[in-house]
Structure formats: C-alpha cells, structure tokens
Amino acid sequence: MDAYLIIGNSNTRKASLVRSLTGCFNRSVRDIQIQGAKAPVRFYARIGTLQDTRTSVDDFVAEVARARCQAVVFCLSPSTGQGTGADAQDAQAYVTGFKAAGWRIKAVAVLGQNAGGVRASNLRQYPQAPTLPINVTAREVRAQFGWV
C-alpha cells in the first residue's frame, strides 16, 4: 500500500487540505492521476486524524484493505491527540506500524512546524499552511505528492 500522510497539530487545516486534494467529505474512494502513470490510481481518502477517532494501526490497515485501493491519503496528529493509555500513539508510532504492515510511505506533508518525530527523505514542512489560502497549500502538496 502506498501511503501519503498529512501531519499537523489542531487548526493547521489538515481536513481542508485532504478535501481540497481529493474532493472527499469524510471517507471515500477516489481516482487520482499520478505524474508519469498511464492510468489513475485508486485512493482511499480519510478526513480527520486517526488519533482523534482512536483508530489503531491494525484497524486502519483493515479499513483500507476493505476499500480495495492501491493507495491511501490520511491525517495524523504529531502527538497522541485525545487518546490516552495503551492505545495512544503519536505520528511516529503510526508510521512505524504502517511500515511493519508493509506500507510504503510515499510522501509526508507537515502542516505547521511539528512533525511528531517523523523523519523521512520525502517529508516537507509547510509552516505557513495554517494562514495561507488552502488552494495555495493544496497546489504545493499536490506537486510534492506528484499528483497531476
């Protein structure tokens, strides 16, 4: 599974960005054209951070598998969010879990300053995302992700 991540604290417009990129309201399957690909890629898009909905790595992997897609775009909070206790995970713990499940982290867009400890060669920060018009951030992230 190819994964495209949006990481950001509250009020960094993560949901607005995913909606702008995909046209998805909450959870949906979308066809997205990747640069250099002959056909669109079937994506599962999910709004809202996995931490806020207390969705574990295993539960999300199963959710995405049911959608029968080739790729996924979703949001993470840098920290544990509302969750507490054993099920609370920060962004880095999720990334580690997804990699263990065989997912390929294709790109990470960090809105604001806090990446939650996630380090990747394909990570880019957008410190002005909370204040820029969402279409400006979406244009930059689309280019980073390699989406047409």
Side-chain angles (χ1 to χ4, degrees):
M1 180 65 57
D2 289 341
Y4 295 80
L5 285 64
I6 311 291
I7 299 175
N9 286 317
S10 296
N11 301 315
T12 54
R13 304 170 77 196
K14 298 175 298 294
S16 296
L17 177 61
V18 175
R19 287 184 178 116
S20 181
L21 291 171
T22 66
C24 172
F25 177 72
N26 189 11
R27 301 173 195 200
S28 189
V29 174
R30 295 288 193 250
D31 290 330
I32 296 175
Q33 186 67 43
I34 305 289
Q35 289 178 353
K38 294 183 181 183
V41 174
R42 198 109 174 119
F43 268 79
Y44 182 71
R46 180 168 169 181
I47 307 297
T49 69
L50 299 182
Q51 292 99 326
D52 286 346
T53 57
R54 298 181 184 190
T55 305
S56 70
V57 169
D58 292 338
D59 289 344
F60 192 57
V61 167
E63 179 181 325
V64 172
R66 285 190 299 274
R68 296 186 177 123
C69 293
Q70 302 158 287
V72 60
V73 58
F74 62 97
C75 302
L76 291 172
S77 175
S79 60
T80 58
Q82 297 175 0
T84 58
D87 64 339
Q89 296 186 353
D90 62 12
Q92 181 55 50
Y94 274 98
V95 169
T96 300
F98 292 132
K99 286 181 178 180
W103 286 20
R104 294 169 301 281
I105 308 302
K106 298 295 279 187
V108 180
V110 177
L111 307 185
Q113 298 288 334
N114 189 353
V118 174
R119 304 247 187 269
S121 60
N122 51 2
L123 181 146
R124 181 169 171 208
Q125 288 189 285
Y126 299 88
Q128 300 301 317
T131 57
L132 286 174
I134 197 64
N135 62 321
V136 173
T137 303
R139 180 188 67 223
E140 292 177 9
V141 171
R142 188 176 293 112
Q144 176 201 357
F145 286 2
W147 298 0
V148 177

